[in-house]
Amino acid sequence: MVHNIHIAVLDVDIPARRLYEARGLCSAHFRTILRETATRLNETFFADKDQLEVKITPYDIRGGHYPDLYKLRGDASQNQIPVASPIDAVLITGGSPGVYEMDHSPWMQELEKFVKTVYNQYPEVRILGTCFGHQMISHALVRNPEDTVRDVWVEKCPLGREVGIYTVQLEKTFLQSFPAALGQLPEGKLRIQMFHGDRVMAVEKGTPVSLVESPPVSLPAPWVNIGSTPICPIQGLYHPGRVLSVQGHYEMDVFGMTKMCLESAPVMGWKESKLALFLEQVGDDLNEGGQDDSKAFASAVVCFLAGVEQ
């Protein structure tokens, strides 16, 4: 038997030009990593189970191209239209915009509305996000202006950018949900490529936010923080059976991150010394494939999509 997983990938932005010319849009990057991961898991973890097959359909949301709601699994309307391959998950890619710019961004407002609709009306559809996608999910689904306990927001990180491979200390609850994928990580530490200058914050009301220390994270149940770094306390969000987001880029390798850095340097005004530091943090092709834990996290993503959670 084959377990088909149909993912609608919402392309938020265009990658660095040379990266795009070599590997296509962000949706293509996810197609590659998720299909490769499914193939690998079919030979190991799912060897005696239904074989996974991943299908990706890209959507240009800047151009107003979204999945028709009737194509989502578990159509919420009364007159459900039969669909040969219903959409099982929606994945929001990374991008350069900041969620805090939403008041002046109609396309971002439309995306927030879509995310809320999927979450509230289509419980069978899983939601994923990376980088910007992670931040949009926190704003759309976790932030609640009427919450009397906590404040949730997205901001420019006052302590600088994370570019290249960083180590995320994963939370025990998240680790326990995906033991087959993440159980072999030493001390529960995930090394993953990053490229961001914004972060998600969630703290109890009245908590002072220091530039030196990250305050304790406060999330409403059943939301779980997947892990943290010293300057980014929420490195991803996990809602069992519904949502999985991550700040880092498990879909990116050394080649992709290098192209991102080289194109971003003149745009962001990086000095040669800063660019050199970021490229060193990214790593080199000679050690590609063994210096980060992208395969482990991609395995957790595929297990999440397949409904294999502890």
Side-chain angles (χ1 to χ4, degrees), residues 204-227:
E204 290 188 3
K205 288 186 178 294
T207 302
V209 180
S210 169
L211 293 180
V212 179
E213 298 179 354
S214 294
V217 171
S218 176
L219 292 170
W223 292 92
V224 173
N225 178 21
I226 75 166

Side-chain angles (χ1 to χ4, degrees), residues 47-309:
D48 57 348
K49 304 178 179 66
D50 290 347
Q51 296 289 280
L52 303 180
E53 185 171 309
V54 173
K55 174 184 177 181
I56 299 289
T57 301
Y59 290 86
D60 172 20
I61 62 168
R62 293 287 193 107
H65 185 209
Y66 281 85
D68 293 319
L69 294 179
Y70 77 85
K71 293 182 179 179
L72 301 181
R73 183 172 294 281
D75 182 10
S77 71
Q78 295 297 317
N79 300 312
Q80 185 169 346
I81 302 174
V83 177
S85 179
I87 293 171
D88 301 292
V90 171
L91 189 157
I92 309 164
T93 72
S96 59
V99 170
Y100 40 77
E101 301 169 339
M102 182 172 297
D103 289 345
H104 309 287
S105 178
W107 73 264
M108 217 180 289
Q109 295 168 18
E110 186 67 20
L111 176 58
E112 178 189 24
K113 179 182 176 181
F114 178 79
V115 172
K116 287 183 175 180
T117 297
V118 174
Y119 180 79
N120 292 324
Q121 300 183 24
Y122 298 85
E124 295 182 41
V125 177
R126 302 198 172 207
I127 302 174
L128 301 102
T130 299
C131 197
F132 170 88
H134 155 63
Q135 296 156 15
M136 173 56 74
I137 286 171
S138 72
H139 179 89
L141 303 183
V142 185
R143 171 181 170 272
N144 180 4
E146 298 179 358
D147 192 336
T148 60
V149 176
R150 66 187 58 80
D151 291 316
V152 179
W153 72 96
V154 180
E155 66 177 11
K156 283 186 176 294
C157 183
L159 299 174
R161 306 182 66 87
E162 289 181 320
V163 178
I165 297 177
Y166 278 77
T167 300
V168 177
Q169 180 61 62
L170 297 177
E171 293 289 336
K172 184 177 180 180
T173 302
F174 179 64
L175 279 167
Q176 291 175 338
S177 297
F178 301 97
L182 305 173
Q184 302 304 313
L185 295 178
E187 300 178 343
K189 294 181 178 179
L190 175 80
R191 288 170 54 79
I192 190 171
Q193 294 280 4
M194 306 256 193
F195 195 99
H196 72 103
D198 297 342
R199 66 179 184 177
V200 174
M201 298 292 288
V203 302
E204 290 188 3
K205 288 186 178 294
T207 302
V209 180
S210 169
L211 293 180
V212 179
E213 298 179 354
S214 294
V217 171
S218 176
L219 292 170
W223 292 92
V224 173
N225 178 21
I226 75 166
S228 62
T229 60
I231 72 171
C232 186
I234 300 178
Q235 282 285 343
L237 294 166
Y238 174 53
H239 182 313
R242 291 303 315 277
V243 183
L244 177 57
S245 71
V246 63
Q247 183 61 67
H249 292 273
Y250 62 91
E251 82 283 8
M252 295 281 278
D253 58 11
V254 171
F255 174 86
M257 291 300 296
T258 298
K259 294 295 184 286
M260 292 289 291
C261 287
L262 292 175
E263 183 168 298
S264 299
V267 177
M268 297 185 177
W270 295 347
K271 295 181 179 180
E272 289 187 9
S273 58
K274 175 173 283 191
L275 174 59
L277 177 63
F278 287 159
L279 290 174
E280 181 181 1
Q281 192 73 17
V282 166
D284 59 70
D285 288 317
L286 296 178
N287 195 31
E288 189 172 359
Q291 59 187 351
D292 63 43
D293 303 308
S294 58
K295 289 184 178 181
F297 196 85
S299 295
V301 171
V302 171
C303 286
F304 168 76
L305 289 167
V308 182
E309 302 165 71

